[in-house]
Amino acid sequence: MKKLLKSTLSVWVIFLPLALSAQNKPEINATVLGRVIDSRTNELLIGATVTIKGTTNGATTDANGEFALITGQKLPFTLIISFVGYLKKEIIINNGKVEIRLEENVNQLDDVVVSSRRRQESVQDIPIPISVIRGVTAEDAGAFNPNRLKELIPSVQLYSSNGRNTTLNIRGLGSSFGLTNDGIDPGVGFYVDGVYYARPAATSIDFVDIEQVEVLRGPQGTLYGKNTTAGTFNITTRAPSFTPSASFETSYGNLNYIQAKASITGPLSKKIAARLSFSGTQRDGTLYNTTTLKPVNSLNNVGFRAQFLYTPTDKINITISGDNARQRSDGNATVVTGVITTKRAAYRQFGNIIADLGYKLPTTNPFDRITDSDSPWRVNNDFGGASINIDAKIGKGKLTSTSAWRYWIWDPSNDRDFIGLPVLTKSQGNSRHDQYTQEIRYAGQFSSRLSGVLGVFFIDQILTSDPVQIEESGSAQWRFSQNSTSALWKTAGLFDGFGTKTTSRLETLGAAVFGQADWAITEKLHLLPGIRFNYDKKDVDYKRETYGGLQTTDPALLALKNGVYTNQAFKFNVEENNFSGQVTLAYKPNKDVNAFATYANSYKPVGVNLGGLPTANGTVLIDLARVKPEYVTHYEIGLKTKPTPLSTLNFVVFNTDIKDYQTQVQTAEVGVNRGYLANAEKVRVKGAELDGNIRVSNHLSFTGAVSYTDGKYISFKNAPVPLEEVGGESAFKDVSGGVLPGISKWAGSLGGEVTRNGNLLTLKGKYFLAIDTYYRSSFSSSSSPSKYLNIDGYTLLNGRIGFRASNGFSILVWSRNLANKNYFEQLLPAAGSAGHYAAVLGDQRTYGTTLRYTF
């Protein structure tokens, strides 16, 4: 961290004088006060955006429709005023007090402005497929974490059986499906206010005071610090403001659901503003545990964020942020969903095993939502950090430095056998992760025809077992592991308390230089080349030792124990570097059409197996400790259009080929925790996406998206067999031509909202009714395609109705999964592959009410 801070200070010693020399010395601090109103009704417009043209200085109107701007600029200057449903207006002001009247926009769709290319621009002008969800839209739809955003963006897939085992994919690519190995880098970048979050557990945390979520599809390594092979989540939070304002929100619902949010911002001095935000969510469990006689899978999330903005001049902004999020739910339990017959001998089938142990499943219907798991469930998930972001306007661009430290502490307890027998009594994969990142980039106009981004990025990650990871068997393990008729398996206490303790340390150092240009060949034709150089170094020290069980020197008994858990250890380091890049040709024949074609190649660094290695004839397969890097080749053709002033319609087709695809595969061995990493020789994902929106009138609007995605293993000749083939002649199978897991061929979302002016008691405002639907077709839930581990397609319906008052108060009644659809999110084979498998269930119908007040 000291090295990073030192390098940051060194850079700013060089660049800060340049920035200061570029400043226009303020002649007078002009304080501008005003209000924004409806030109026809004289109604105060709350939440209108007011900015000074050519700067980032701005404010929003408060509950009285008023705003205040403090700037070092000299009057006169131009203000830009915008508000949803109204025509954008520019006005030159000559004095410190102004009244601005806006007219309803009945002929043009509201513009969506994004910062994905490190500058503010219209999403329709960018030659990249992007989905944008505004913070207020996500809040109203109940999407308070990334997992729920997938119902609004069909190209996104997110699966989570717990915080660590979270998969965030775009177009089915990014991370290994279902199970997460700490030794692999994600392929989908996750950024919050410019800070890269390296661990997938970040996506299980609740949003705190989100302004906007931008989802970029396809490789983005020439625009962002960390290389991303499948896409990027670019999340911005609501920034500190010199105009005092606050927002408070409470929600109540069934299952004792309670959520509270609060945010307050305002000036601390003429040059310093602050923002404090809080979010807390609690809910009873959605399953019932007949062993503990308590609900399980509750929500218990708390998050905080503090931000301080310092503006020494009107061309320099310094933002210091700190945040912490905590989860303390009582686990992520699954329910047994089915039992299949494997190719093992009859005595090794699940039904015969539990009959011999005198056990019976509590139910055969997973949607009874009952489990009898007998191991303690615990989810202690802590995530947080701090960052310093410096923006300085230099010439016709902006120099940005983002320095950050982040941590993740994972302290879980799981029941890996899914049932109420002491088979696997402990599964505690504790981890601590610290990351230090530094990104410096310049984005701007280099000449009249050339603009772009140039940057450098550093990341240092340290991931350790914290302090040790434990896997332990119970008294019933012998029967599930029994693979012969020998009486030795019944030896008293042989496996009771037998387990492993793992200590590991993975240190990763990464660096990159990246850039992308936008060359205007003509006014309508642009060429956008980009290039990236990556350097990656990984050092790993892994050691797993067995303990417990019956202490014996009998070779026959030791062989039985080694068939369950083995001692494993390896050390190695690797250094790699790589060039990647892309080129886009964009053509805009007019302001309503934007066509583009992109070729990109990308790269994901070498992976490390940190969940235990499989064995062959009692020998640990050390060669599998290292997983080869991925190489991605991507093609895309897209068209963004505005068929009418009140609508947009965008279409894109793509093809992505990956060599040495990094995938996580399940194995029948108990000792390989959460499966292990492997390379499939080649996979291909191709498809098409269509999205658009239309405003029929100021009171009726629709938005929709549909995606077709076809993902296959072109070549995967040495994949583990699916669950139904465990115990056959081979433990491996050629699954070339099989479908990739987690990908629905068809997925879509459709939403609409209707509003009407009215009064609620003495309050003026708008009534609204909104409906959102989400559909996805069937998909595989197994890395090696299985005819049993496929999830049927399903449709979800969400709705809300309420009133938004002009004074900032709103009330809504909402329901998620309104039709109470029973559906699976994942199907998971139990450890040991005895034939039973469990499901992560989608939530049943939930409903409640939300009160919100902003002023």
Side-chain angles (χ1 to χ4, degrees):
M1 183 61 178
K2 291 181 180 178
K3 292 181 180 179
L4 282 171
L5 292 175
K6 187 176 180 181
S7 65
T8 304
L9 290 174
S10 299
V11 171
W12 280 101
V13 165
I14 297 172
F15 282 107
L16 193 55
L18 295 176
L20 293 173
S21 66
Q23 314 304 310
N24 293 324
K25 185 177 180 180
E27 298 181 26
I28 280 185
N29 280 339
T31 300
V32 178
L33 303 175
R35 65 174 185 165
V36 180
I37 63 176
D38 185 301
S39 63
R40 182 177 62 85
T41 65
N42 292 324
E43 180 183 354
L44 300 172
L45 298 182
I46 301 164
T49 300
V50 182
T51 58
I52 300 173
K53 188 173 183 178
T55 77
T56 58
N57 192 359
T60 56
T61 54
D62 59 19
N64 298 315
E66 298 176 346
F67 67 91
L69 289 171
I70 301 175
T71 176
Q73 289 184 295
K74 181 181 178 182
L75 290 169
F77 49 73
T78 302
L79 291 182
I80 302 174
I81 307 93
S82 60
F83 189 61
V84 175
Y86 288 79
L87 292 170
K88 184 184 293 186
K89 188 171 187 177
E90 293 190 13
I91 182 172
I92 299 175
I93 59 170
N94 296 285
N95 56 65
K97 196 166 185 179
V98 62
E99 180 177 276
I100 301 164
R101 293 175 171 269
L102 295 185
E103 297 180 358
E104 280 192 286
N105 183 0
V106 295
N107 298 313
Q108 194 171 15
L109 194 67
D110 304 314
D111 201 11
V112 178
V113 177
V114 298
S115 59
S116 300
R117 293 203 299 172
R118 306 310 193 182
R119 57 183 184 264
Q120 298 293 314
E121 54 190 339
S122 169
V123 69
Q124 289 297 106
D125 291 336
I126 302 176
I128 301 172
I130 303 177
S131 301
V132 181
I133 304 295
R134 288 170 169 158
V136 66
T137 302
E139 290 166 351
D140 283 352
F144 59 82
N145 59 31
N147 191 23
R148 295 191 169 189
L149 279 181
K150 67 186 180 186
E151 298 172 14
L152 303 176
I153 308 174
S155 296
V156 171
Q157 299 86 34
L158 196 150
Y159 310 95
S160 182
S161 56
N162 60 42
R164 165 185 265 134
N165 289 325
T166 299
T167 300
L168 176 62
N169 283 350
I170 296 176
R171 296 171 172 170
L173 299 173
S175 298
S176 54
F177 172 80
L179 301 168
T180 299
N181 193 304
D182 290 337
I184 192 172
D185 287 23
V188 173
F190 193 84
Y191 293 83
V192 178
D193 292 336
V195 177
Y196 173 68
Y197 286 24
R199 305 318 305 175
T203 60
S204 67
I205 302 297
D206 289 0
F207 289 136
V208 179
D209 214 11
I210 294 298
E211 176 68 28
Q212 187 162 279
V213 179
E214 303 163 14
V215 180
L216 289 73
R217 307 192 288 277
Q220 304 299 330
T222 60
L223 285 174
Y224 286 82
K226 189 69 172 70
N227 196 35
T228 56
T229 57
T232 297
F233 271 63
N234 183 37
I235 298 171
T236 54
T237 66
R238 296 183 176 107
S241 172
F242 286 94
T243 301
S245 67
S247 176
F248 302 94
E249 178 182 314
T250 58
S251 299
Y252 305 90
N254 64 327
L255 299 175
N256 290 318
Y257 173 81
I258 301 175
Q259 186 176 73
K261 297 180 181 180
S263 178
I264 184 169
T265 187
L268 300 181
S269 68
K270 289 185 177 180
K271 295 184 180 293
I272 299 176
R275 188 178 197 99
L276 300 177
S277 307
F278 163 82
S279 175
T281 306
Q282 291 189 22
R283 190 185 69 183
D284 288 349
T286 55
L287 306 180
Y288 185 76
N289 191 323
T290 58
T291 299
T292 62
L293 303 180
K294 293 180 180 179
V296 67
N297 291 10
S298 64
L299 295 178
N300 187 354
N301 307 334
V302 176
F304 304 88
R305 177 180 293 274
Q307 297 169 281
F308 298 91
L309 171 64
Y310 174 48
T311 56
T313 75
D314 64 343
K315 293 190 176 182
I316 295 180
N317 289 344
I318 302 174
T319 303
I320 301 174
S321 300
D323 66 278
N324 173 261
R326 187 190 73 182
Q327 289 183 317
R328 291 293 185 270
S329 65
D330 56 6
N332 296 99
T334 54
V335 293
V336 174
T337 302
V339 177
I340 65 176
T341 301
T342 69
K343 291 188 176 182
R344 287 173 170 171
Y347 75 91
R348 300 192 67 192
Q349 301 300 325
F350 179 76
N352 291 327
I353 293 172
I354 63 173
D356 288 350
L357 296 171
Y359 171 77
K360 184 179 179 180
L361 291 171
T363 178
T364 57
N365 180 6
F367 296 109
D368 288 340
R369 299 183 181 269
I370 290 175
T371 181
D372 66 343
S373 57
D374 58 336
S375 295
W377 286 96
R378 180 177 70 246
V379 173
N380 291 350
N381 192 15
D382 292 86
F383 211 88
S387 65
I388 301 174
N389 189 87
I390 305 173
D391 289 323
K393 290 189 175 180
I394 299 178
K396 295 183 179 180
K398 182 170 68 175
L399 181 70
T400 299
S401 169
T402 304
S403 311
W405 161 70
R406 297 209 61 79
Y407 70 90
W408 170 54
I409 301 173
W410 177 243
D411 177 21
S413 178
N414 303 298
D415 190 337
R416 288 180 60 214
D417 56 56
F418 303 152
I419 57 177
L421 283 174
V423 185
L424 294 164
T425 55
K426 289 185 180 180
S427 181
Q428 300 170 358
N430 299 29
S431 295
R432 179 181 175 100
H433 174 264
D434 289 272
Q435 71 170 64
Y436 306 92
T437 57
Q438 174 65 57
E439 182 171 351
I440 301 173
R441 66 180 181 274
Y442 181 81
Q445 196 77 29
F446 305 125
S447 70
S448 61
R449 290 184 175 270
L450 186 65
S451 63
V453 177
L454 180 65
V456 295
F457 177 75
F458 303 92
I459 182 168
D460 184 15
Q461 302 180 66
I462 301 173
L463 179 70
T464 62
S465 52
D466 185 27
V468 64
Q469 298 177 349
I470 297 175
E471 297 290 323
E472 187 176 297
S473 295
S475 59
Q477 179 63 261
W478 74 270
R479 187 62 184 88
F480 280 82
S481 296
Q482 183 182 8
N483 60 11
S484 73
T485 56
S486 170
L488 292 177
W489 288 100
K490 298 182 180 181
T491 304
L494 182 61
F495 297 105
D496 199 2
F498 178 52
T500 62
K501 293 183 178 180
T502 301
T503 57
S504 64
R505 178 183 176 89
L506 173 64
E507 185 164 358
T508 301
L509 179 65
V513 180
F514 61 93
Q516 181 169 305
D518 186 338
W519 174 35
I521 301 173
T522 68
E523 184 180 350
K524 297 179 179 181
L525 183 65
H526 286 232
L527 182 68
L528 296 90
I531 193 169
R532 178 185 185 89
F533 173 76
N534 280 308
Y535 168 80
D536 293 286
K537 179 183 178 183
K538 291 190 177 184
D539 293 278
V540 61
D541 186 351
Y542 179 90
K543 184 177 183 180
R544 191 178 83 176
E545 296 179 299
T546 59
Y547 71 91
L550 180 67
Q551 299 304 301
T552 179
T553 58
D554 186 333
L557 293 178
L558 290 175
L560 296 184
K561 292 179 70 174
N562 287 335
V564 177
Y565 292 123
T566 56
N567 294 323
Q568 298 183 3
F570 55 85
K571 289 183 181 181
F572 68 84
N573 62 75
V574 60
E575 290 186 63
E576 296 178 324
N577 54 67
N578 171 268
F579 278 99
S580 58
Q582 68 176 59
V583 60
T584 298
L585 188 65
Y587 179 62
K588 289 190 67 175
N590 56 58
K591 63 182 181 64
D592 295 328
V593 176
N594 183 11
F596 58 91
T598 296
Y599 164 79
N601 62 62
S602 191
Y603 162 86
K604 187 193 286 189
V606 62
V608 178
N609 264 308
L610 293 179
L613 298 174
T615 61
N617 300 318
T619 301
V620 179
L621 301 179
I622 293 294
D623 290 345
L624 295 178
R626 172 179 167 174
V627 184
K628 291 185 287 187
E630 283 185 0
Y631 295 91
V632 178
T633 303
H634 176 79
Y635 302 90
E636 191 165 79
I637 299 175
L639 185 66
K640 294 186 174 184
T641 70
K642 293 189 71 173
T644 71
L646 291 172
S647 65
T648 65
L649 187 64
N650 304 324
F651 179 71
V652 65
V653 294
F654 64 91
N655 185 97
T656 304
D657 290 304
I658 302 180
K659 178 186 175 183
D660 292 326
Y661 174 70
Q662 296 174 349
T663 181
Q664 180 91 336
V665 291
Q666 191 79 23
T667 177
E669 294 187 41
V670 175
V672 182
N673 188 18
R674 303 184 302 276
Y676 67 95
L677 290 172
N679 289 110
E681 294 85 8
K682 185 176 180 180
V683 304
R684 176 176 295 152
V685 178
K686 58 184 179 180
E689 297 160 341
L690 180 71
D691 66 81
N693 58 79
I694 183 170
R695 197 172 79 226
V696 180
S697 70
N698 276 354
H699 301 287
L700 179 62
S701 61
F702 296 96
T703 183
V706 62
S707 66
Y708 170 81
T709 311
D710 182 19
K712 291 183 179 180
Y713 293 110
I714 301 301
S715 177
F716 193 6
K717 297 178 181 179
N718 204 33
V721 296
L723 180 59
E724 63 267 29
E725 297 181 31
V726 168
E729 294 181 357
S730 174
F732 298 95
K733 180 180 181 179
D734 185 348
V735 298
S736 302
V739 297
L740 287 177
I743 300 178
S744 295
K745 277 201 172 184
W746 292 98
S749 63
L750 179 65
E753 182 177 274
V754 59
T755 64
R756 182 175 181 178
N757 295 333
N759 297 331
L760 178 63
L761 302 177
T762 60
L763 299 176
K764 292 183 177 181
K766 291 184 177 181
Y767 288 95
F768 65 90
L769 170 66
I771 297 292
D772 299 309
T773 60
Y774 169 69
Y775 166 77
R776 65 178 306 181
S777 61
S778 62
F779 62 96
S780 168
S781 189
S782 174
S783 296
S784 295
S786 165
K787 62 182 179 181
Y788 295 103
L789 299 180
N790 293 317
I791 294 178
D792 293 336
Y794 57 86
T795 300
L796 300 180
L797 178 66
N798 305 322
R800 56 197 179 273
I801 185 171
F803 179 80
R804 301 186 187 103
S806 58
N807 68 348
F809 170 80
S810 63
I811 180 173
L812 60 146
V813 177
W814 48 264
S815 178
R816 295 182 57 80
N817 192 6
L818 187 61
N820 202 27
K821 174 68 176 178
N822 288 328
Y823 67 101
F824 302 129
E825 294 208 349
Q826 281 181 262
L827 295 176
L828 306 169
S833 301
H836 65 302
Y837 58 94
V840 177
L841 299 182
D843 287 350
Q844 62 266 56
R845 180 195 296 123
T846 56
Y847 51 86
T849 184
T850 296
L851 302 175
R852 187 181 300 140
Y853 183 50
T854 302
F855 62 92

